[in-house]
Amino acid sequence: MDAIYYLHPTTQFVLFSLVKIVLAFGITLTFVAYAVLAERKISAWIQDRVGPNRAAPFIVNYLPFIGPALVRLGIFQPMADGLKFLLKEDFTPAYVRKVYFWLAPALTAVPAFMTMAVIPFGSTMGNPNNPMVIADLNVGVLYTFGIVSLGVYGIVLAGYASNSKYPFLGGIRSSAQMISYEIAMGMSVIAVFMVIGDLNLSKVVAYQGGGIHHWMVFKQPLAFFIFLVAAFAETNRLPFDLPESESELVGGYHTEYSSMKFALFFMGEYANMIAASAMMVTLFFGGWTFPWGGGAAASLWGGLAHIACFIAKMLVLMVVFIWVRWMFPRFRYDQLMDLGWRRFIPLAFANILITALVLAALNH
Amino acid sequence: MPGLTDLLFYAFAGMALLFGFLCVANPLSRNPVTSAMFLVLTIVSLAGLYTLLHAFFLAAVQILVYAGAVMVLFLFVIMLLDLKEEERRKIRGITLGLGALSVAVIAGILIRAVVAAEPLAGARPLLDGGTKELGRSLFTLYLLPFEVMSLLLLVGMVGVILLSKKELK
C-alpha cells in the first residue's frame, strides 16, 4: 500500500478519485436493489402480510438454519427481480417518439447518481490529504440542486415520448410539481447556510462535528421539515406521487415502458431517495460524525467507522421514506400546489427572516 | 495543466456553438421539443465555460435556473399548447430585416464589452467567483443595477397576477 504514496500527486489524486467513484457507484447500486426489498418487506409488515419470502438459489435451501432464514427475509429477491427485468421482452410501442423514448430512462437515472459526487460520506482513511468525498466543491450544495433540477427532464420527456394520454398527463404534472417544490427546498436550506456561513458540504459537516447538540436539525427544525416534505415531492414518493398516481393515470409517465427501461425509472426513484437521504444526513444530522463528536479519523478502522455511521444515519432516513409511503394517502393535485406555494414557501421565507434577525442580534 | 484547460475551452465553446445552431436551424427536425432540448445542451455547455473561468457560482446557477427551471417551463408550455412540427415557411422581408437589426445591435454590445475588457492586455488575476465575492460586489459596486433588476422582476410578477386574475375586477 505504501508504494502508492511515492506516485506523482496528480496520479495519486486520479487513482483515489477513480476508486472512490467506483465504490460510491457500486454501493449506491446495491443499496438501490435492497431498498426495493426493504420497501416490499416494510410495506408487508405494515399491512400484516409476509412479503417476498420464496426466492432461493437451489444451494441455499441445503444450508441449515441460515439458509431458510435468509430466504424468508427475501435476501435473494433483488437478484431474481434484476434477472427478470433483463430477460423480459423490451417492447417499444409503434406510436412512440423513438429517440426521446430511449433517452428518457437514462436521463432519470443518471442525475440521481451524479448528486452523490459532492456528498462527504466519510472523513479520511488515515491519510488527511485524501478526504472521503469525490469532489470537494466550494459551491457543493448548488451543484446538487442543479443536478437534481435536471432530473425532471427524464420524466417530462418520458411523458412526451410515450405519445399517449396518461403518460403525457404524468409528465405535465411532474414538471410543475418539481419546480414548485425545488423553490421550497432551496429556500429552506438558505437558513441553514446562513448559520454555517459556507456552501461547501465538508464545512457543513465540520460545523456539526461537536456532537448531537450541534446538529442542524435542532437549530433549524422548520428548515428540516420543509426540506423533508419537499424531498418526498422531488422524489415522487407517495404523499406526492402524482406524476405516476396509478389510480388516476394507470402508471403515469412510465405506462408505456417495459423491462429494463421501466427498471431504470424504478432505480432512478430509489437512487433519488438515497441521494435525498444522504443530503439530509449531511445538512441536518452531522454527516459522518458520531453523535458524541470527534474529528477526522486517524486510522483506516476509524475511517471505516465514520462511513458506517454515515450509512446508518442514511438507512434510518430511508426507512422514514418507506414508512411515510405506506402511512399516508395521496394528495390531490390542487392540494399539492397549495401546500407548496401558499404554505411552505412563505414559511421558508419567514424562517430566513427570523434566522437573519437572530444572527444579527447574536453578532452585536 | 494549461493544455487541458485550453482543450476543454475549445470543446465547450464548440459544443455551445453547435447546439445553439441546432436549436434555431436544425436541418433534421422542426420539432419544438427538439429545439428546446438543444437549448438545454447549449446552456450546459455555457456552464462548462463558466467553470473554466472559475466562476463556479455562475455555472451552478446557470444550470439550476436556466436548464433546471426556465427550460422545464418552456417544455411545459410547448407540451400544453401541443405544438405540431413547424412547417418550413417562406421568410418575409420585414421579419428578416428586424431579425438582422436585433442581431446587429446585440453583436455591437458584445463587441464593445469584449473590447472594453481588453482581452489582449494579458489575463487579469482571477477573481474567485464564489458566493462571498459575488454577494459583496452585488451589494456595493452594482447595487443600483441590482435593485433596478429586482424591481423589474417584481413588476413582471405583479403583471402576471393581474393578467391571470382579470375576471376578479
Side-chain angles (χ1 to χ4, degrees):
Chain A
M1 270 308 273
D2 282 347
I4 213 166
Y5 294 114
Y6 296 117
L7 291 170
H8 192 267
T10 312
T11 325
Q12 254 187 52
F13 173 75
V14 171
L15 267 181
F16 281 138
S17 295
L18 274 180
V19 170
K20 280 185 277 191
I21 289 171
V22 169
L23 277 182
F25 193 65
I27 290 175
T28 312
L29 269 182
T30 318
F31 270 64
V32 166
Y34 279 91
V36 179
L37 175 69
E39 173 105 48
R40 295 176 67 179
K41 271 294 183 190
I42 293 174
S43 69
W45 290 329
I46 288 175
Q47 300 174 338
D48 204 13
R49 297 184 280 116
V50 282
N53 65 345
R54 296 298 160 99
F58 68 98
I59 316 172
V60 176
N61 275 331
Y62 298 109
L63 289 174
F65 306 118
I66 301 174
L70 289 181
V71 170
R72 224 169 294 138
L73 276 174
I75 296 293
F76 305 102
Q77 187 69 35
M79 290 172 221
D81 283 346
L83 206 63
K84 183 189 79 178
F85 278 128
L86 280 173
L87 295 179
K88 262 183 141 174
E89 183 192 356
D90 188 31
F91 184 71
T92 308
Y95 46 79
V96 299
R97 299 177 169 95
K98 287 245 167 37
V99 178
Y100 292 120
F101 192 76
W102 279 75
L103 203 60
L107 282 181
T108 317
V110 169
F113 288 105
M114 276 172 73
T115 44
M116 303 304 281
V118 288
I119 289 168
F121 51 87
S123 53
T124 63
M125 287 298 189
N127 174 6
N129 296 325
N130 184 23
M132 284 295 113
V133 48
I134 294 170
D136 203 10
L137 294 187
N138 276 328
V139 288
V141 74
L142 285 174
Y143 167 88
T144 320
F145 276 92
I147 298 295
V148 166
S149 71
L150 292 183
V152 64
Y153 281 112
I155 296 178
V156 173
L157 284 181
Y160 173 73
S162 297
N163 204 7
S164 67
K165 288 188 197 70
Y166 293 119
F168 185 74
L169 283 173
I172 291 274
R173 278 181 178 188
S174 82
S175 61
Q177 169 179 335
M178 295 270 208
I179 287 183
S180 309
Y181 277 81
E182 242 161 53
I183 298 172
M185 203 179 209
M187 290 298 155
S188 73
V189 290
I190 286 180
V192 173
F193 288 104
M194 279 163 70
V195 174
I196 294 171
D198 207 306
L199 289 178
N200 186 319
L201 290 175
S202 302
K203 301 266 169 59
V204 173
V205 174
Y207 178 89
Q208 307 173 74
I212 194 164
H213 53 284
H214 288 283
W215 288 3
M216 288 310 294
V217 65
F218 301 116
K219 292 188 179 175
Q220 288 286 346
L222 186 61
F224 172 66
F225 179 69
I226 296 174
F227 193 95
L228 182 72
V229 178
F232 289 131
E234 288 284 306
T235 50
N236 290 318
R237 294 288 296 179
L238 192 78
F240 310 119
D241 72 335
L242 287 133
E244 47 180 302
S245 64
E246 60 270 18
S247 49
E248 307 161 25
L249 298 183
V250 191
Y253 59 91
H254 54 55
T255 305
E256 307 288 349
Y257 282 88
S258 57
S259 91
M260 204 57 207
K261 290 206 203 74
F262 168 75
L264 267 180
F265 282 119
F266 211 63
M267 282 160 63
E269 178 183 328
Y270 284 89
N272 268 323
M273 272 164 69
I274 291 174
S277 307
M279 266 315 272
M280 279 190 274
V281 167
T282 311
L283 290 177
F284 296 102
F285 294 92
W288 44 261
T289 57
F290 293 121
W292 55 89
S299 68
L300 184 64
W301 293 111
L304 285 177
H306 276 148
I307 293 179
C309 179
F310 181 83
I311 289 177
K313 288 176 186 173
M314 210 174 77
L315 289 184
V316 172
L317 282 172
M318 289 289 288
V319 171
V320 172
F321 262 98
I322 294 170
W323 188 13
V324 165
R325 172 169 178 181
W326 298 97
M327 298 301 277
F328 291 102
R330 181 180 299 128
F331 275 57
R332 237 173 36 219
Y333 196 66
D334 59 319
Q335 292 172 329
L336 169 93
M337 284 295 158
D338 188 69
L339 190 71
W341 286 98
R342 294 189 30 216
R343 304 279 193 283
F344 282 163
I345 293 176
L347 261 182
F349 276 127
N351 194 28
I352 292 174
L353 194 67
I354 293 166
T355 312
L357 287 176
V358 171
L359 283 178
L362 285 179
N363 287 344
H364 280 287
Chain B
M1 280 192 286
L4 185 65
T5 317
D6 286 350
L7 209 66
L8 283 175
F9 169 77
Y10 287 117
F12 281 125
M15 270 156 60
L17 288 176
L18 176 72
F19 294 141
F21 178 76
L22 287 176
C23 166
V24 289
N26 192 339
L28 300 175
S29 154
R30 303 288 287 172
N31 186 340
V33 172
T34 310
S35 288
M37 289 317 289
F38 275 118
L39 190 53
V40 174
L41 288 177
T42 315
I43 289 166
V44 172
S45 317
L46 287 182
L49 287 178
Y50 291 145
T51 313
L52 290 178
L53 291 171
H54 285 233
F56 300 119
F57 180 79
L58 204 56
V61 166
Q62 172 92 355
I63 297 224
L64 181 62
V65 175
Y66 286 101
V70 174
M71 287 314 295
V72 176
L73 286 182
F74 267 47
L75 271 187
F76 184 78
V77 172
I78 290 173
M79 286 164 67
L80 266 191
L81 295 181
D82 194 21
L83 295 179
K84 294 283 178 290
E85 276 199 27
E86 220 181 37
E87 288 156 30
R88 243 167 244 282
R89 294 172 306 197
K90 242 190 271 167
I91 298 169
R92 281 186 302 172
I94 186 160
T95 326
L96 196 68
L98 283 178
L101 185 71
S102 44
V103 167
V105 170
I106 293 172
I109 295 173
L110 281 180
I111 291 169
R112 243 197 84 114
V114 169
V115 171
E118 294 169 359
L120 297 177
R124 304 234 177 130
L126 279 174
L127 183 70
D128 214 22
T131 33
K132 283 197 180 100
E133 294 81 1
L134 193 82
R136 203 156 282 148
S137 44
L138 267 187
F139 282 101
T140 55
L141 195 54
Y142 300 107
L143 184 62
L144 185 66
F146 178 71
E147 293 294 340
V148 171
M149 293 283 277
S150 322
L151 204 65
L152 199 66
L153 286 175
L154 185 68
V155 170
M157 282 198 277
V158 172
V160 166
I161 291 172
L162 202 69
L163 282 177
S164 57
K165 295 264 179 195
K166 220 176 355 186
E167 72 276 13
L168 284 187
K169 254 185 266 178

